[in-house]
Each structure stands twice: as C-alpha cells, then as structure tokens.
C-alpha cells in the first residue's frame, strides 16, 4: 500500500459551515448574548429581539443538552437524505436548533428529554480542497 503524505485536517483545509461553530480539540458553539437581557442568538445581530439592546458578548454554549422538541423530516429538498431528525436542544438554557445524527429517525429512538451532546461531521470538500464541517447532536451515553 502506497502512502500519500496524509495531512490531518487543520484550520487551512477545514472550515465550519457556520461562523458560530468553533472547531478544534473541543468543538463548541458560540452565542451572541445580549448584555441587557442575556437573550442568546446565533450569528451576527444588530439588535436584540427581546429588549432592543444592541450590545452583545460572545459566550460559549454548553455542548450537552436535552431534546425539547423534534420533528422527523420525511420530505426535503432534492439531494437531502431523508428521513432525518430536526430538533430543538436546550443546552444549559441556550436553545439550539440542529439535526440529530447517529440515531434512528423514529419516535422509538428519539424522545423528548433525551440527553444529547454536540458533534461535528464533514459535509464535503469544495473545489479548493476545503472541507466544510457541520454540527449536530448525538444521543449522550447515560450513566457514565
Ligand atoms: Zn436583550
């Protein structure tokens, strides 16, 4: 077997799909927290939808949470594999919308209140060899 010098993913060849996903040894999400009312948002904001405040602080979001709502998506745009689970996850008080991965997309395996943790996965490589990384949640192992 010939070996081509395998280069591990690094910041030059790997980019997060969204700018509020931080990669590295411990991938996590970054929220914009309103300094006035502490409402949290993902992505850039010019004003707070709750209080109208316009000053935000970046805060790391807990990587573990519980499913508070979900929907099993059976129909999606062409090219999107179905079914998949779209979920709302409460991460220590911060609401995160993401897909559940590594779980069977049915109500037997997905339930409200189930503990989950953040995960990242490659979405594909563009023409420049840059790998996009997305995030989702996987069921957390309970009891250990
Ligand atoms: Zn606010």
């Amino acid at each position: 077997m010939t070996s081509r010098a395998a280069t591990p993913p690094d910041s030059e060849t790997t980019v997060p799909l969204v700018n509020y996903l931080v990669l590295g040894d411990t991938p996590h999400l970054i929220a914009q927290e309103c300094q006035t009312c502490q409402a949290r948002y993902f992505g850039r904001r010019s004003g707070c939808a709750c209080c109208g405040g316009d000053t935000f602080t970046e805060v790391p979001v807990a990587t573990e949470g519980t499913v508070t709502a979900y929907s099993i998506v059976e129909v999606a745009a062409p090219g999107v594999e179905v079914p998949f689970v779209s979920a709302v996850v409460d991460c220590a008080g911060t609401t995160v919308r993401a897909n559940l991965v590594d779980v069977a997309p049915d109500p037997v395996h997905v339930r409200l209140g189930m503990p989950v943790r953040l995960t990242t996965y490659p979405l594909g490589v563009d023409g420049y060899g840059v790998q996009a990384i997305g995030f989702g949640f996987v069921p957390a192992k309970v009891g250990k």
Side-chain angles (χ1 to χ4, degrees):
M1 185 173 143
T2 56
S3 76
R4 197 161 58 92
T7 49
D10 60 35
S11 60
E12 283 175 32
T13 57
T14 307
V15 295
L17 178 69
V18 289
N19 63 6
Y20 51 86
L21 171 62
V22 178
L23 302 175
D25 292 339
T26 55
H28 61 281
L29 300 176
I30 292 284
Q32 303 289 321
E33 184 177 273
C34 173
Q35 284 193 359
T36 307
C37 75
Q38 281 73 53
R40 290 185 173 185
Y41 303 95
F42 291 104
R44 194 173 294 279
R45 285 266 155 175
S46 53
C48 176
C50 292
C51 74
D54 60 4
T55 310
F56 296 89
T57 309
E58 286 196 345
V59 291
V61 175
T63 57
E64 298 190 341
T66 56
V67 174
T68 58
Y70 72 90
S71 140
I72 295 167
V73 180
E74 305 274 1
V75 180
V80 176
E81 200 174 309
V82 290
F84 63 88
V85 183
S86 173
V88 178
V89 177
D90 178 359
C91 292
T94 302
T95 299
V96 182
R97 286 171 180 79
N99 291 349
L100 300 188
V101 295
D102 290 347
V103 64
D106 62 57
V108 173
H109 295 90
V110 181
R111 54 191 171 74
L112 296 180
M114 74 187 284
V116 292
R117 62 178 172 77
L118 187 77
T119 189
T120 59
Y121 53 89
L123 293 167
V125 178
D126 72 10
Y128 298 98
V130 176
Q131 173 105 269
I133 304 293
F135 72 92
F137 287 88
V138 292
K141 300 283 177 278
V142 187
K144 199 128 188 266

PDB file of all heavy atoms in Angstrom, residues 37-52:
ATOM      1  N   CYS A  37     -30.341  41.903  28.457  1.00  0.00           N
ATOM      2  CA  CYS A  37     -31.320  40.929  28.967  1.00  0.00           C
ATOM      3  C   CYS A  37     -30.822  39.493  28.891  1.00  0.00           C
ATOM      4  O   CYS A  37     -31.549  38.573  29.250  1.00  0.00           O
ATOM      5  CB  CYS A  37     -32.644  41.076  28.223  1.00  0.00           C
ATOM      6  SG  CYS A  37     -32.613  40.399  26.556  1.00  0.00           S
ATOM      7  N   GLN A  38     -29.592  39.277  28.413  1.00  0.00           N
ATOM      8  CA  GLN A  38     -28.970  37.953  28.351  1.00  0.00           C
ATOM      9  C   GLN A  38     -29.645  36.991  27.372  1.00  0.00           C
ATOM     10  O   GLN A  38     -29.423  35.785  27.425  1.00  0.00           O
ATOM     11  CB  GLN A  38     -28.896  37.290  29.744  1.00  0.00           C
ATOM     12  CG  GLN A  38     -27.735  37.806  30.611  1.00  0.00           C
ATOM     13  CD  GLN A  38     -28.008  39.209  31.124  1.00  0.00           C
ATOM     14  OE1 GLN A  38     -29.033  39.467  31.716  1.00  0.00           O
ATOM     15  NE2 GLN A  38     -27.091  40.125  30.846  1.00  0.00           N
ATOM     16  N   ALA A  39     -30.509  37.513  26.493  1.00  0.00           N
ATOM     17  CA  ALA A  39     -31.039  36.645  25.438  1.00  0.00           C
ATOM     18  C   ALA A  39     -29.874  36.223  24.550  1.00  0.00           C
ATOM     19  O   ALA A  39     -28.932  36.988  24.352  1.00  0.00           O
ATOM     20  CB  ALA A  39     -32.081  37.398  24.621  1.00  0.00           C
ATOM     21  N   ARG A  40     -29.940  34.988  24.049  1.00  0.00           N
ATOM     22  CA  ARG A  40     -28.826  34.490  23.248  1.00  0.00           C
ATOM     23  C   ARG A  40     -29.258  34.208  21.814  1.00  0.00           C
ATOM     24  O   ARG A  40     -30.362  33.737  21.576  1.00  0.00           O
ATOM     25  CB  ARG A  40     -28.249  33.217  23.873  1.00  0.00           C
ATOM     26  CG  ARG A  40     -27.516  33.503  25.168  1.00  0.00           C
ATOM     27  CD  ARG A  40     -26.853  32.266  25.720  1.00  0.00           C
ATOM     28  NE  ARG A  40     -26.027  32.600  26.880  1.00  0.00           N
ATOM     29  CZ  ARG A  40     -25.249  31.734  27.513  1.00  0.00           C
ATOM     30  NH1 ARG A  40     -25.195  30.481  27.106  1.00  0.00           N
ATOM     31  NH2 ARG A  40     -24.526  32.117  28.552  1.00  0.00           N
ATOM     32  N   TYR A  41     -28.348  34.509  20.897  1.00  0.00           N
ATOM     33  CA  TYR A  41     -28.612  34.324  19.468  1.00  0.00           C
ATOM     34  C   TYR A  41     -27.410  33.681  18.810  1.00  0.00           C
ATOM     35  O   TYR A  41     -26.299  33.766  19.315  1.00  0.00           O
ATOM     36  CB  TYR A  41     -28.869  35.678  18.801  1.00  0.00           C
ATOM     37  CG  TYR A  41     -30.000  36.457  19.420  1.00  0.00           C
ATOM     38  CD1 TYR A  41     -29.742  37.412  20.402  1.00  0.00           C
ATOM     39  CD2 TYR A  41     -31.314  36.212  19.048  1.00  0.00           C
ATOM     40  CE1 TYR A  41     -30.779  38.118  20.984  1.00  0.00           C
ATOM     41  CE2 TYR A  41     -32.355  36.916  19.626  1.00  0.00           C
ATOM     42  CZ  TYR A  41     -32.082  37.867  20.591  1.00  0.00           C
ATOM     43  OH  TYR A  41     -33.112  38.553  21.172  1.00  0.00           O
ATOM     44  N   PHE A  42     -27.657  33.052  17.656  1.00  0.00           N
ATOM     45  CA  PHE A  42     -26.545  32.542  16.851  1.00  0.00           C
ATOM     46  C   PHE A  42     -26.430  33.386  15.597  1.00  0.00           C
ATOM     47  O   PHE A  42     -27.418  33.733  14.971  1.00  0.00           O
ATOM     48  CB  PHE A  42     -26.763  31.071  16.504  1.00  0.00           C
ATOM     49  CG  PHE A  42     -26.646  30.188  17.710  1.00  0.00           C
ATOM     50  CD1 PHE A  42     -27.784  29.667  18.309  1.00  0.00           C
ATOM     51  CD2 PHE A  42     -25.410  29.909  18.260  1.00  0.00           C
ATOM     52  CE1 PHE A  42     -27.676  28.866  19.436  1.00  0.00           C
ATOM     53  CE2 PHE A  42     -25.294  29.113  19.381  1.00  0.00           C
ATOM     54  CZ  PHE A  42     -26.426  28.592  19.980  1.00  0.00           C
ATOM     55  N   GLY A  43     -25.214  33.706  15.274  1.00  0.00           N
ATOM     56  CA  GLY A  43     -24.979  34.547  14.112  1.00  0.00           C
ATOM     57  C   GLY A  43     -25.002  36.014  14.518  1.00  0.00           C
ATOM     58  O   GLY A  43     -25.404  36.368  15.625  1.00  0.00           O
ATOM     59  N   ARG A  44     -24.566  36.841  13.599  1.00  0.00           N
ATOM     60  CA  ARG A  44     -24.426  38.258  13.899  1.00  0.00           C
ATOM     61  C   ARG A  44     -25.786  38.935  14.062  1.00  0.00           C
ATOM     62  O   ARG A  44     -26.712  38.669  13.324  1.00  0.00           O
ATOM     63  CB  ARG A  44     -23.630  38.934  12.789  1.00  0.00           C
ATOM     64  CG  ARG A  44     -23.129  40.308  13.130  1.00  0.00           C
ATOM     65  CD  ARG A  44     -22.215  40.821  12.036  1.00  0.00           C
ATOM     66  NE  ARG A  44     -20.993  40.031  11.940  1.00  0.00           N
ATOM     67  CZ  ARG A  44     -19.939  40.190  12.725  1.00  0.00           C
ATOM     68  NH1 ARG A  44     -19.958  41.103  13.669  1.00  0.00           N
ATOM     69  NH2 ARG A  44     -18.871  39.449  12.576  1.00  0.00           N
ATOM     70  N   ARG A  45     -25.896  39.792  15.038  1.00  0.00           N
ATOM     71  CA  ARG A  45     -27.139  40.516  15.310  1.00  0.00           C
ATOM     72  C   ARG A  45     -26.856  42.001  15.398  1.00  0.00           C
ATOM     73  O   ARG A  45     -25.830  42.395  15.918  1.00  0.00           O
ATOM     74  CB  ARG A  45     -27.707  40.094  16.672  1.00  0.00           C
ATOM     75  CG  ARG A  45     -28.343  38.752  16.707  1.00  0.00           C
ATOM     76  CD  ARG A  45     -29.816  38.845  16.487  1.00  0.00           C
ATOM     77  NE  ARG A  45     -30.332  37.602  15.944  1.00  0.00           N
ATOM     78  CZ  ARG A  45     -31.628  37.385  15.747  1.00  0.00           C
ATOM     79  NH1 ARG A  45     -32.500  38.299  16.053  1.00  0.00           N
ATOM     80  NH2 ARG A  45     -32.030  36.249  15.230  1.00  0.00           N
ATOM     81  N   SER A  46     -27.775  42.799  14.933  1.00  0.00           N
ATOM     82  CA  SER A  46     -27.598  44.238  15.144  1.00  0.00           C
ATOM     83  C   SER A  46     -28.479  44.712  16.290  1.00  0.00           C
ATOM     84  O   SER A  46     -28.231  45.757  16.880  1.00  0.00           O
ATOM     85  CB  SER A  46     -27.905  45.022  13.871  1.00  0.00           C
ATOM     86  OG  SER A  46     -29.179  44.679  13.391  1.00  0.00           O
ATOM     87  N   GLY A  47     -29.518  43.947  16.614  1.00  0.00           N
ATOM     88  CA  GLY A  47     -30.362  44.339  17.725  1.00  0.00           C
ATOM     89  C   GLY A  47     -30.994  43.122  18.379  1.00  0.00           C
ATOM     90  O   GLY A  47     -31.191  42.091  17.734  1.00  0.00           O
ATOM     91  N   CYS A  48     -31.323  43.250  19.671  1.00  0.00           N
ATOM     92  CA  CYS A  48     -31.921  42.145  20.407  1.00  0.00           C
ATOM     93  C   CYS A  48     -33.429  42.118  20.152  1.00  0.00           C
ATOM     94  O   CYS A  48     -34.111  43.135  20.310  1.00  0.00           O
ATOM     95  CB  CYS A  48     -31.645  42.312  21.895  1.00  0.00           C
ATOM     96  SG  CYS A  48     -32.451  41.063  22.910  1.00  0.00           S
ATOM     97  N   ALA A  49     -33.945  40.940  19.791  1.00  0.00           N
ATOM     98  CA  ALA A  49     -35.378  40.808  19.514  1.00  0.00           C
ATOM     99  C   ALA A  49     -36.199  40.911  20.800  1.00  0.00           C
ATOM    100  O   ALA A  49     -37.404  41.148  20.758  1.00  0.00           O
ATOM    101  CB  ALA A  49     -35.653  39.479  18.821  1.00  0.00           C
ATOM    102  N   CYS A  50     -35.574  40.716  21.945  1.00  0.00           N
ATOM    103  CA  CYS A  50     -36.304  40.749  23.219  1.00  0.00           C
ATOM    104  C   CYS A  50     -36.390  42.158  23.792  1.00  0.00           C
ATOM    105  O   CYS A  50     -37.442  42.591  24.252  1.00  0.00           O
ATOM    106  CB  CYS A  50     -35.634  39.835  24.239  1.00  0.00           C
ATOM    107  SG  CYS A  50     -35.767  38.093  23.820  1.00  0.00           S
ATOM    108  N   CYS A  51     -35.276  42.884  23.793  1.00  0.00           N
ATOM    109  CA  CYS A  51     -35.272  44.165  24.501  1.00  0.00           C
ATOM    110  C   CYS A  51     -34.786  45.322  23.638  1.00  0.00           C
ATOM    111  O   CYS A  51     -34.804  46.475  24.076  1.00  0.00           O
ATOM    112  CB  CYS A  51     -34.409  44.067  25.754  1.00  0.00           C
ATOM    113  SG  CYS A  51     -32.644  44.038  25.412  1.00  0.00           S
ATOM    114  N   GLY A  52     -34.331  45.030  22.412  1.00  0.00           N
ATOM    115  CA  GLY A  52     -33.855  46.110  21.554  1.00  0.00           C
ATOM    116  C   GLY A  52     -32.417  46.513  21.834  1.00  0.00           C
ATOM    117  O   GLY A  52     -31.889  47.402  21.187  1.00  0.00           O
TER     118      GLY A  52
END
